[in-house]
Amino acid sequence: MKRRDFIEFLGYSALTVASSQLLISCSNLKKQKLGPIKGIKPNAEDKLVLADGFEWRRVISWGDKISAGDTFGFNNDYLNYVSVPENKDEYLLWANHEYVGPSRTIMGLEKRTKDNIDTELKSVGGSIVHIYKDGDLWKYKENSGYNRRIDGFTPIKFSNKRKIKGSQTAMGTLANCAGGKTPWGTILTCEENYQFHYGDRKFGEEKISKAYDEWNKFYPHPPEHYGWVVEVNPLNGDATKLVELGRFAHECATVVESKEGLVVYSGDDKKFEHIYKFVSDSKVNLNSGTLYVADIKKGKWLPLDVEKDQRLKDKFKTQENVLVYTREAAKVVGATPLDRPEDIEINPINGDVVFTLTNNNKNDNHHGKICKISEKGNYTTDDFIYEELLIGGENSGFSCPDNLGFDPFGNLWFASDISGSKMNKGIYKSFGNNGLFLVPASGPQKGEVIQIASAPIDAEFTGICFAPDGKSLLLSVQHPGETSKSQAELSSNWPFGHGNIPRSSVVQISGDFFKV
Ligand code: FEO
Ligand code: CA
Ligand code: CA
């Protein structure tokens, strides 16, 4: 795609802004006078490398104490925040903790003993950490009464008192990848690759597939208790699994509040799976509504509702079965298979729903793409236009796009996720370590893809989150050293170096960019 087309695609031309019916927050965007930014070249160093003019500082890392009994979890991913009620200048930072899996050599947890599995269960879920600004730096309060963990052991109820596989409560949340935030100040944390922990099973079958992490060896919970969007109140830790939003490998849950209603977009990050949207019946909760899946070819949202579709009624009988076995229901109605849908963000300039398809080697898509859905009319409508925006590869300079974010100026940021086993090898060699990229909305480089950061060895940048004051970026550096062979043979020791074991961390990225 030519840069001019990309500018059009992002709505960075005046014409698109003026004509958009979906204009949501363009008028709130901060103006920015951007001079030229010199991007970095890909590299394979065990460092967080930044373009000139940017600097980073560690905010919190795996293992840091957050209360008398709790520490910050492993592999931090999605980040978001809410205000502390007593002090509007202080915030509660929510961080997802995704998985231990391939990184367990770092923790010395290779053996599948109960003690090791218990340690893993305590390492996933999420952290709530009280943060404040000290000068220009974001820091956390070690002893705040708000600090708490939600982990693989926390009892979590299902919405609407539903009983799923005989229980109104599930043990814990896990595989917490990306997420979202509601207008009423709760966090949505998404359970993604649940099958690694408790396996999976098809509708109507008893057989459970092998769970790679074998957590079900000691905790034989049904797979149906996982794969949900979980709503968490960061003020008190109250959590609910939202059955109405369906069950699949939820990458994210991106909430849009519009005049017509409240909508949540979510992708299912698995090869040949789908993109969904939930249209809520209410603007103040997500307890009831209609779940739709995308037919990309026809530009149609297809309702997953047994009362509206005899094919669903014939196979699943009840709406609850449709919601528990959503992937199978999506196939029945003819949803379009996609190349691993990852993050979804709303373009603040024109309201488009921008998302990444990270890659799918089974579909000969090795470098992924950034795409968009333009809803026809409003977010609750049934029709949309789908377009591919930017194709990964040698020409565009990135591969495997995953996490997305629009900053307070309307610039697009995205991060790549080439898997540890493929990074710096074969067709991925020229891309170096994973990176963070910027597509400016203004200035001389408007519409260009500029690499701003390169991650330490094996790591991926996740959780793109602009700080509450808009003056810096809070970012997760996830899974450094993931391909380490043992604690004695580490592939990374970021961020401390000198032989220390690698620690996923939240970092603050600041610089003149955020001041202009
Ligand atoms: Fe957890 Fe699809 O990334
Ligand atoms: Ca992701
Ligand atoms: Ca990914």
Side-chain angles (χ1 to χ4, degrees):
M1 178 177 275
K2 293 196 189 88
R3 185 173 149 220
R4 191 187 60 240
D5 298 333
F6 194 39
I7 290 169
E8 290 287 326
F9 184 103
L10 283 169
Y12 287 176
S13 66
L15 186 68
T16 315
V17 175
S19 64
S20 171
Q21 295 175 51
L22 295 168
L23 194 67
I24 45 171
S25 57
C26 189
S27 54
N28 297 330
L29 290 175
K30 288 196 209 167
K31 293 245 176 339
Q32 188 180 35
K33 270 202 182 138
L34 266 185
I37 298 167
K38 192 166 178 285
I40 58 167
K41 292 216 157 42
N43 77 70
E45 285 187 84
D46 190 30
K47 281 185 184 159
L48 201 177
V49 181
L50 285 170
D52 284 350
F54 292 89
E55 57 196 20
W56 71 272
R57 188 196 150 266
R58 195 179 65 86
V59 179
I60 190 167
S61 301
W62 162 55
D64 284 349
K65 206 171 158 189
I66 60 166
S67 68
D70 287 321
T71 52
F72 195 69
F74 202 72
N75 271 0
N76 48 282
D77 197 305
Y78 181 73
L79 304 173
N80 215 323
Y81 54 81
V82 298
S83 290
V84 170
E86 313 79 77
N87 186 342
K88 296 283 177 215
D89 295 328
E90 298 189 355
Y91 298 85
L92 300 182
L93 178 72
W94 169 272
N96 276 0
H97 298 296
E98 190 170 11
Y99 62 89
V100 178
S103 301
R104 64 171 56 100
T105 46
I106 295 169
M107 300 164 83
L109 300 174
E110 293 91 332
K111 289 203 175 107
R112 299 292 76 201
T113 61
K114 183 166 179 300
D115 278 357
N116 285 355
I117 286 172
D118 283 359
T119 302
E120 293 188 355
L121 277 153
K122 283 182 192 142
S123 305
V124 299
S127 291
I128 298 162
V129 184
H130 190 153
I131 58 167
Y132 67 101
K133 220 170 161 194
D134 180 4
D136 287 337
L137 304 178
W138 287 96
K139 294 185 174 171
Y140 77 97
K141 286 191 175 175
E142 240 187 73
N143 296 313
S144 168
Y146 285 112
N147 293 357
R148 71 169 78 227
R149 286 294 316 281
I150 290 189
D151 63 28
F153 286 115
T154 310
I156 303 179
K157 62 189 174 295
F158 292 106
S159 53
N160 293 319
K161 299 193 170 153
R162 285 182 192 269
K163 251 190 190 174
I164 304 293
K165 285 281 162 186
S167 176
Q168 285 187 348
T169 306
M171 184 186 95
T173 182
L174 46 79
N176 307 76
C177 187
K181 186 162 89 171
T182 65
W184 50 94
T186 55
I187 299 290
L188 302 177
T189 175
C190 293
E191 298 180 339
E192 193 194 26
N193 287 307
Y194 61 91
Q195 75 282 359
F196 290 143
H197 310 287
Y198 293 103
D200 205 3
R201 111 176 99 197
K202 292 209 163 70
F203 173 63
E205 291 186 5
E206 285 303 312
K207 190 170 159 272
I208 295 173
S209 65
K210 183 175 163 47
Y212 167 80
D213 284 343
E214 298 180 55
W215 289 2
N216 54 2
K217 190 169 155 186
F218 301 101
Y219 303 99
H221 297 300
E224 291 85 350
H225 282 191
Y226 308 96
W228 301 105
V229 175
V230 184
E231 182 175 8
V232 180
N233 181 349
L235 300 182
N236 59 16
D238 184 45
T240 308
K241 299 209 177 196
L242 300 174
V243 176
E244 288 66 28
L245 272 64
R247 178 176 157 271
F248 46 89
H250 284 276
E251 168 76 20
C252 63
T254 305
V255 183
V256 186
E257 191 184 18
S258 71
K259 220 171 49 253
E260 298 79 14
L262 195 72
V263 174
V264 185
Y265 292 92
S266 191
D268 183 356
D269 182 6
K270 190 177 175 212
K271 290 169 191 172
F272 303 114
E273 291 299 334
H274 316 293
I275 283 186
Y276 298 82
K277 83 169 174 185
F278 174 77
V279 179
S280 181
D281 291 337
S282 162
K283 281 191 174 183
V284 292
N285 65 59
L286 299 171
N287 293 339
S288 69
T290 306
L291 184 63
Y292 295 84
V293 66
D295 178 337
I296 295 282
K297 289 186 188 127
K298 292 197 185 122
K300 279 266 176 212
W301 288 108
L302 312 170
L304 294 172
D305 183 339
V306 284
E307 302 309 328
K308 289 186 185 154
D309 194 317
Q310 193 57 40
R311 297 167 300 176
L312 291 175
K313 188 91 178 166
D314 290 345
K315 175 160 180 166
F316 294 99
K317 309 289 188 282
T318 69
Q319 184 61 16
E320 189 166 287
N321 284 334
V322 166
L323 297 172
V324 176
Y325 303 96
T326 308
R327 281 176 174 163
E328 292 174 66
K331 308 283 177 301
V332 169
V333 301
T336 308
L338 297 168
D339 292 346
R340 296 188 50 207
E342 294 260 20
D343 204 4
I344 302 176
E345 290 295 331
I346 307 302
N347 183 338
I349 291 180
N350 60 9
D352 281 344
V353 182
V354 179
F355 59 95
T356 48
L357 298 177
T358 191
N359 61 64
N360 182 354
N361 58 350
K362 297 243 168 76
N363 197 27
D364 210 21
N365 174 1
H366 301 281
H367 298 298
K369 24 181 130 153
I370 302 179
C371 314
K372 73 171 183 185
I373 279 172
S374 306
E375 300 278 25
K376 278 191 188 166
N378 62 62
Y379 290 101
T380 56
T381 190
D382 290 349
D383 302 294
F384 62 85
I385 297 164
Y386 163 78
E387 265 185 277
E388 293 181 351
L389 164 55
L390 192 59
I391 313 295
E394 299 271 341
N395 288 340
S396 46
F398 69 88
S399 182
C400 307
D402 186 331
N403 287 277
L404 296 164
F406 284 93
D407 68 22
F409 310 104
N411 304 303
L412 172 66
W413 295 71
F414 68 92
S416 57
D417 178 20
I418 302 167
S419 81
S421 60
K422 293 178 178 159
M423 206 184 291
N424 290 300
K425 290 179 196 144
I427 59 165
Y428 296 101
K429 193 166 174 57
S430 66
F431 300 98
N433 292 354
N434 280 317
L436 176 71
F437 301 83
L438 164 71
V439 184
S442 62
Q445 289 156 296
K446 178 162 139 178
E448 279 182 30
V449 177
I450 306 166
Q451 184 166 357
I452 297 296
S454 173
I457 289 175
D458 296 342
E460 166 198 8
F461 294 118
T462 57
I464 296 170
C465 174
F466 296 92
D469 61 358
K471 291 183 176 162
S472 62
L473 165 65
L474 299 173
L475 187 67
S476 285
V477 181
Q478 197 194 154
H479 55 75
E482 183 170 68
T483 62
S484 296
K485 292 200 174 73
S486 68
Q487 283 180 318
E489 240 184 309
L490 296 166
S491 58
S492 164
N493 41 44
W494 187 88
F496 301 118
H498 311 300
N500 275 322
I501 61 174
R503 288 182 189 271
S504 290
S505 303
V506 177
V507 298
Q508 177 185 355
I509 293 185
S510 39
D512 291 342
F513 174 89
F514 296 98
K515 293 177 190 152
V516 289

